[in-house]
Amino acid sequence: MSSAQSIIIILIIVLIIALVAAAVIINKYFNHQIAQIDQASEQINDITAKENISRLEKMGLAGKSLATFEESKSAYQEVETKQIGELQHLLEQAAETNAKYNLLKARRIIKQAEELAQSAQETVDKSKTTFNELLESNRDNKIQYASLLKDYQQQRKQILANSFNYEQSLTQLENDLALIEGQFDTVKNLSAQGDHVEAKRVLDEIKEKITSLKKSLPDIQKYEQDLRTIFGEQLDEITHTYKKMLKDKYRIEEVDVLETIKQLREKIEESRADLSKLELDKVKKINDAINERIDGLYDILTKEFKARPFVDKNQDKILKVLSHMSTNSAKLVAKLEHIDESYELNHGELQEAKELESRVNHLNVDFGSDCQKLADGKGVYSDTESKWLAMLQELEQIDNRQKKISKDVDGLFDAEEIANDSIDHFKQDVSLIYRRVERRQLPGKPESFVQMYTLVVNEISKTSEELNQVRINLEKISQELIQIQEDIDRLQKEADEILSSADLVELTMQYSNKYLNNAEIKRARKQAYDLYQNKFEYKEALDTIATALEKVEPGSYQRIEKEYYDEKKKNDEDTNN
């Protein structure tokens, strides 16, 4: 025998041993299960259940109680007489099959036995619970009956003792109490007949009704009070107050007060009808709406009462303000019309002042109309208060604007005087510049200087003529004065350049005498002289001789120029001191 065959034989033997061992173990496990189920089946038959059945049979049950008992009793007896026997038979089969090691069949029978045992136990447990409930129902019903009857009597006593608080709903409350009392009689009859289940159901209904009644009574009492007393008194007060207000010349346009009161009284009657039927949800909804509308009426009346003191207190004050503003507006327009004869108002001041005056007059008319309406009893004080507050704010804005316009035009006179002074100063400045150039006794004046001088003189003359017009445009003149000043500054700068260039030409020409033998210098001197003497181009003459001198003697012109300006600066300082 080969080693491979030996190994296979050994494996087969091991497998057989394992299978036998497993079968033995499973066999023992199934025997244990069978014993457990058998032990449990012995406990299914509970002697207390049989005793309870006997007691219940002697109670003479009826109706639903009897039907419930019979159903549970039948189910219990089905277990006792049939299912227990079937269970025992299954257990015997399982034991016999397991003993023969027919394990698969034994497992199937054991499972059937387990399911039957569980079902039987559940049925017995349910039946025992029902038996206990039926036995206890009579005692529990008696306790609940006594407790509910006490609650009922207390509620009935409270309602009857305080019937004045339930005037509208008393009839319906008494009907409900009578229905509950009838249900107590029903419980008595059902208990006497042995129908404790139905008696329990009726007791639960009674409990629910008493609980609901107890919870509703405070609301009913409040609704009764609102509908019988509070709402009516409030509406009477509003009616009386409103009529008195009409006599005192108040007016309300926001709502028709009397018509609203009429509608609210109709709503009160509607709510009373609902309350008599104890339809409390409807009553609450209507009463809340009534209360909200009554509060709204109070708010409207209060608003008018609060507005009147303001109107009465400020009527004379606003009249004075409007009178003052009307006078000031007219004065400002007259002032601007007078100023407009002499000055051009370029920013629409006169037109704006007239518009402001028109607005003040319009507000004055509106105010007079408001006062007349109030006197006739046709004015609404709250509307008038809002309108007058807005009017005061607008008048303040108008006053501020008028003051600014007046202040702006007041500056025109000062501006004209300043402009005339400026023209005088400009004439002096131009004259000084020209005489300064004249005193230098130069061969002639550059064309650019002459043109600039002529331009400035003409500008001054033109602006001076504009200032002498009957009606002047100061804004335009102001711009012209700025331009003249700029042109005078340019003229001054050009005069300075002419005089400085002329002086430096002479100094440079004198210095260049030491180089008369130099051809470049000779040529430059001749050209510079021509520019200076004949063409009056002093700066060009300076550039010509200075350039030639720098080529012959570098740095010489810079030295001459520096010494010249240093000396000039010193002389200017001595003059100023």
Side-chain angles (χ1 to χ4, degrees), residues 76-109:
Y76 178 80
Q77 289 177 340
E78 171 74 14
V79 172
E80 183 183 31
T81 59
K82 182 178 179 182
Q83 293 181 6
I84 295 296
E86 291 177 356
L87 180 59
Q88 289 298 323
H89 178 68
L90 287 173
L91 291 174
E92 289 173 0
Q93 279 187 318
E96 182 179 349
T97 304
N98 193 45
K100 295 177 181 179
Y101 282 88
N102 191 349
L103 301 180
L104 292 176
K105 184 177 180 181
R107 180 178 179 279
R108 186 176 66 253
I109 296 172

Side-chain angles (χ1 to χ4, degrees), residues 287-332:
N287 281 19
D288 287 347
I290 292 172
N291 190 65
E292 183 177 350
R293 293 187 70 183
I294 288 176
D295 287 345
L297 289 175
Y298 273 119
D299 289 342
I300 291 170
L301 298 185
T302 302
K303 181 172 64 174
E304 297 307 315
F305 273 120
K306 288 182 176 180
R308 183 161 187 170
F310 170 85
V311 174
D312 292 342
K313 180 180 178 181
N314 289 278
Q315 188 167 349
D316 291 340
K317 174 185 173 182
I318 295 174
L319 180 61
K320 291 178 182 178
V321 171
L322 282 168
S323 177
H324 177 72
M325 289 290 295
S326 295
T327 302
N328 285 353
S329 298
K331 286 181 178 180
L332 179 61

Side-chain angles (χ1 to χ4, degrees), residues 90 162 178 264 295 363 415 436 492 509 521 529 543 556 560 568:
L90 287 173
N162 299 285
L264 288 173
D295 287 345
L363 291 174
R436 182 177 165 218
Q492 178 68 55
M509 291 285 278
I521 292 295
Y529 181 81
D543 289 342
S556 56
I560 294 170
K568 188 173 184 299

Side-chain angles (χ1 to χ4, degrees), residues 130-141:
T130 301
F131 297 152
N132 288 331
E133 288 176 353
L134 288 170
L135 288 170
E136 293 174 1
S137 63
N138 186 36
R139 178 176 61 82
D140 292 343
N141 285 353

Side-chain angles (χ1 to χ4, degrees), residues 251-266:
R251 183 177 179 84
I252 295 173
E253 297 178 348
E254 188 175 343
V255 66
D256 187 333
V257 176
L258 296 180
E259 177 60 27
T260 301
I261 291 173
K262 178 184 176 183
Q263 293 172 359
L264 288 173
R265 292 192 188 280
E266 291 173 355

Side-chain angles (χ1 to χ4, degrees), residues 346-364:
N346 299 304
H347 300 288
E349 292 89 348
L350 179 57
Q351 180 60 33
E352 183 179 0
K354 288 180 178 179
E355 290 174 357
L356 293 175
E357 180 187 30
S358 175
R359 182 57 185 162
V360 170
N361 292 336
H362 180 73
L363 291 174
N364 210 341

Side-chain angles (χ1 to χ4, degrees), residues 83-208:
Q83 293 181 6
I84 295 296
E86 291 177 356
L87 180 59
Q88 289 298 323
H89 178 68
L90 287 173
L91 291 174
E92 289 173 0
Q93 279 187 318
E96 182 179 349
T97 304
N98 193 45
K100 295 177 181 179
Y101 282 88
N102 191 349
L103 301 180
L104 292 176
K105 184 177 180 181
R107 180 178 179 279
R108 186 176 66 253
I109 296 172
I110 290 171
K111 185 176 181 182
Q112 291 177 354
E114 282 180 337
E115 291 173 354
L116 181 59
Q118 183 177 357
S119 174
Q121 186 64 55
E122 288 175 356
T123 300
V124 169
D125 291 342
K126 184 177 179 181
S127 297
K128 285 167 64 178
T129 299
T130 301
F131 297 152
N132 288 331
E133 288 176 353
L134 288 170
L135 288 170
E136 293 174 1
S137 63
N138 186 36
R139 178 176 61 82
D140 292 343
N141 285 353
K142 287 180 180 179
I143 294 172
Q144 188 178 15
Y145 181 92
S147 175
L148 291 174
L149 183 61
K150 183 179 179 181
D151 274 354
Y152 164 77
Q153 290 171 342
Q154 287 177 346
Q155 295 303 313
R156 186 172 185 277
K157 181 179 179 181
Q158 178 186 340
I159 292 170
L160 296 178
N162 299 285
S163 58
F164 59 90
N165 288 330
Y166 308 104
E167 178 183 349
Q168 197 67 35
S169 54
L170 186 60
T171 301
Q172 187 61 47
L173 286 172
E174 288 177 342
N175 291 340
D176 289 350
L177 290 171
L179 288 174
I180 294 173
E181 189 169 351
Q183 286 184 302
F184 276 114
D185 291 339
T186 300
V187 172
K188 275 185 180 181
N189 293 334
L190 290 170
S191 298
Q193 295 169 9
D195 193 350
H196 304 296
V197 171
E198 183 63 16
K200 177 68 168 64
R201 186 190 66 77
V202 177
L203 283 171
D204 288 342
E205 284 186 4
I206 292 173
K207 180 180 180 181
E208 184 178 347

